[in-house]
Amino acid sequence: MQDIDIYDLPDLVDRNKRLLGLDPGTKTIGVAVSDRDFKVASPVKTIKRTKFKSDAQELKEICADKNIGGIVIGLPVNMDGSEGPRCQSVRTLADNLRTIAGFEIPIVFWDERMSTSAVERFLIGEADMTRKRRAEVVDKAAAAYILQGALDAIQRQSNTAY
């Protein structure tokens, strides 16, 4: 399936729906949601990855519960802008959500370079969290960071479109 441009997303999502932000890792998936105006991202939870079917079912339940109309997935692009094996894994996750799990809402990718390290720096420096507490929140906070970056870009684009 062809990638959807992030700036086309607001036109593809039903009114009064929210966006789901995902930070997929090898062991967990950080989850965040937007408000209905696509302005603010909030962390929701961290899913401990098991089998794809179970992970997809949990994501479907979140989508239904939170009234989700589109998904933004963090794409771990290399610092030089190239895509490595981790990007292929994320793209495969998105394809599987569409084809195997039957997700029919738009799925877009957002460059997530440095999101986890930026969140870690914040949690250490500003929030002064212990290592244990950081481990509990970093993935869902990174998902919110990724989603907020996408929301900010959408807002900037809509403000310059007129």
Side-chain angles (χ1 to χ4, degrees):
M1 173 175 253
Q2 183 177 348
D3 285 353
I4 298 169
D5 189 287
I6 189 76
Y7 304 112
D8 295 332
L9 193 55
D11 294 331
L12 300 173
V13 175
D14 291 340
R15 192 171 185 84
N16 292 320
K17 297 274 186 173
R18 299 174 182 209
L19 296 179
L20 186 73
L22 300 179
D23 179 26
T26 56
K27 296 179 181 176
T28 62
I29 301 173
V31 181
V33 297
S34 75
D35 62 336
R36 287 178 172 80
D37 295 324
F38 295 174
K39 293 189 178 177
V40 179
S42 301
V44 173
K45 73 181 302 181
T46 299
I47 297 172
K48 296 215 184 299
R49 292 186 88 163
T50 56
K51 294 184 177 181
F52 174 76
K53 189 174 181 179
S54 299
D55 299 343
Q57 183 58 39
E58 191 162 356
L59 289 171
K60 276 187 173 184
E61 290 168 8
I62 293 169
C63 286
D65 182 54
K66 302 288 185 187
N67 200 27
I68 300 299
I71 301 175
V72 176
I73 302 179
L75 191 65
V77 178
N78 294 326
M79 292 307 290
D80 66 0
S82 65
E83 291 190 14
R86 289 186 59 229
C87 284
Q88 183 56 46
S89 174
V90 169
R91 289 187 183 281
T92 299
L93 171 67
D95 287 343
N96 289 344
L97 288 173
R98 290 180 190 114
T99 58
I100 296 171
F103 280 64
E104 295 180 357
I105 57 178
I107 299 175
V108 300
F109 299 103
W110 184 252
D111 182 347
E112 65 122 333
R113 275 180 273 194
M114 307 297 289
S115 61
T116 301
S117 61
V119 169
E120 283 272 2
R121 281 193 307 276
F122 172 78
L123 295 175
I124 292 168
E126 300 296 321
D128 194 28
M129 283 192 180
T130 64
R131 182 181 308 264
K132 181 180 181 207
R133 182 68 179 126
R134 282 194 315 268
E136 294 170 1
V137 301
V138 70
D139 295 316
K140 64 183 176 182
Y145 185 89
I146 291 163
L147 182 55
Q148 189 64 56
L151 296 174
D152 291 347
I154 290 169
Q155 290 299 316
R156 281 191 304 273
Q157 177 75 13
S158 67
N159 289 339
T160 60
Y162 299 102

